[in-house]
């Protein structure tokens, strides 16, 4: 209600989207960022969240905001063949993750993943948005993400250090994405395949 929930991501994730995008969101949580993305004209969104309780709440949030261009799934997309994962649910739901050592947890949800590259191809995804509490290191290092033009993600250096950030940026650079400061703020980072220069815009560089 006071606008503090995921405030930086809420401000900058929609700026990464363009009209007509096919958006894949990983770590949809309670659907707040999803709802903001869905307001961009002519976009379609496929949103995934591992926590079934959060998915139920996200559906209510999407309905309350009349967002009918979203397919919401309870599940997990990862790079490679399907595998079983443990998802650790925490009292503060935004801290729930695949990382056991992140802190104490209240429950464990077992999930079988689906291949993200196959999903990206099938739905012609152009923008990937993710906040997956550290799992971005493995995913962005291993997935090819064919056809994806932009990646907006929240980094979690407290889980994998600067070495993990170096690995992410190096692997994405190898696959054609560049760090885009025009759409990045702190740990919320935009990677872009579009290397063309843009006109200077003061709004794009404010704090």
């Amino acid at each position: 209600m006071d606008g503090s929930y995921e405030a930086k991501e809420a401000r900058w994730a929609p700026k990464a989207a363009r009209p007509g995008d096919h958006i894949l969101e990983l770590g949809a949580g309670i659907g707040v960022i999803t709802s903001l993305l869905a307001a961009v004209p002519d976009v379609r969104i496929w949103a995934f969240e591992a926590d079934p309780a959060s998915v139920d709440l996200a559906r209510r949030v999407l309905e309350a905001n009349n967002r009918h261009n979203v397919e919401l799934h309870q599940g997990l997309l990862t790079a490679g063949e399907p595998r079983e994962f443990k998802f650790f649910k925490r009292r503060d739901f935004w801290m729930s993750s695949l990382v056991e050592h992140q802190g104490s947890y209240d429950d464990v949800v077992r999930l079988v993943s689906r291949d993200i590259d196959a999903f990206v191809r099938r739905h012609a995804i152009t923008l990937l948005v993710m906040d997956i509490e550290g799992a971005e290191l493995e995913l962005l290092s291993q997935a090819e993400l064919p056809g994806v033009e932009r990646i907006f993600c929240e980094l979690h250096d407290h889980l994998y250090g600067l070495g993990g950030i170096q690995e992410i940026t190096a692997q994405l650079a190898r696959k054609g994405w560049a760090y885009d400061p025009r759409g990045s703020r702190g740990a919320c980072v935009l990677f872009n395949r579009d290397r063309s220069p843009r006109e200077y815009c003061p709004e794009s560089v404010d704090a």
Side-chain angles (χ1 to χ4, degrees), residues 32-46:
V32 172
I33 305 302
T34 319
S35 295
L36 293 170
L37 290 167
V40 177
D42 301 320
V43 301
R44 292 185 62 191
I45 300 176
W46 292 263

Side-chain angles (χ1 to χ4, degrees), residues 190-201:
L190 177 65
F191 296 94
N192 203 333
R193 285 189 190 270
D194 181 3
R195 307 296 183 89
S196 59
R198 298 181 187 174
E199 289 186 19
Y200 172 75
C201 177

Side-chain angles (χ1 to χ4, degrees), residues 69-195:
N69 52 343
V70 179
E71 289 187 23
L72 181 62
H73 301 267
Q74 193 260 318
L76 190 66
L77 297 181
T78 60
E81 294 295 319
R83 292 174 286 160
E84 183 175 277
F85 287 84
K86 293 179 180 179
F87 181 78
F88 300 94
K89 293 184 60 173
R90 297 182 168 91
R91 181 169 301 177
D92 294 331
F93 69 88
W94 55 86
M95 296 292 290
S96 298
S97 73
L98 301 175
V99 182
E100 183 173 5
H101 70 260
Q102 189 173 356
S104 60
Y105 52 89
D106 299 324
D107 196 8
V108 177
V109 177
R110 295 181 183 272
L111 299 162
V112 176
S113 66
R114 297 164 59 185
D115 178 38
I116 189 170
D117 285 339
F119 191 93
V120 163
R121 289 190 189 95
R122 186 178 310 119
H123 298 286
I125 300 299
T126 53
L127 170 63
L128 172 61
V129 175
M130 63 169 69
D131 181 2
I132 51 177
E133 297 301 318
E136 66 274 4
L137 173 58
E138 179 179 341
L139 189 147
L140 293 176
S141 297
Q142 297 183 8
E144 293 301 321
L145 306 175
V148 174
E149 299 168 2
R150 282 150 281 126
I151 299 170
F152 182 88
C153 67
E154 183 174 352
L155 300 173
H156 298 86
D157 59 287
H158 61 287
L159 295 175
Y160 43 68
L162 293 181
I165 292 178
Q166 183 179 34
E167 176 71 11
I168 289 171
T169 53
Q171 290 295 335
L172 289 180
R174 179 183 65 81
K175 290 178 275 196
W177 285 279
Y179 167 77
D180 189 342
R182 299 164 295 192
S184 302
R185 288 299 178 275
C188 293
V189 178
L190 177 65
F191 296 94
N192 203 333
R193 285 189 190 270
D194 181 3
R195 307 296 183 89

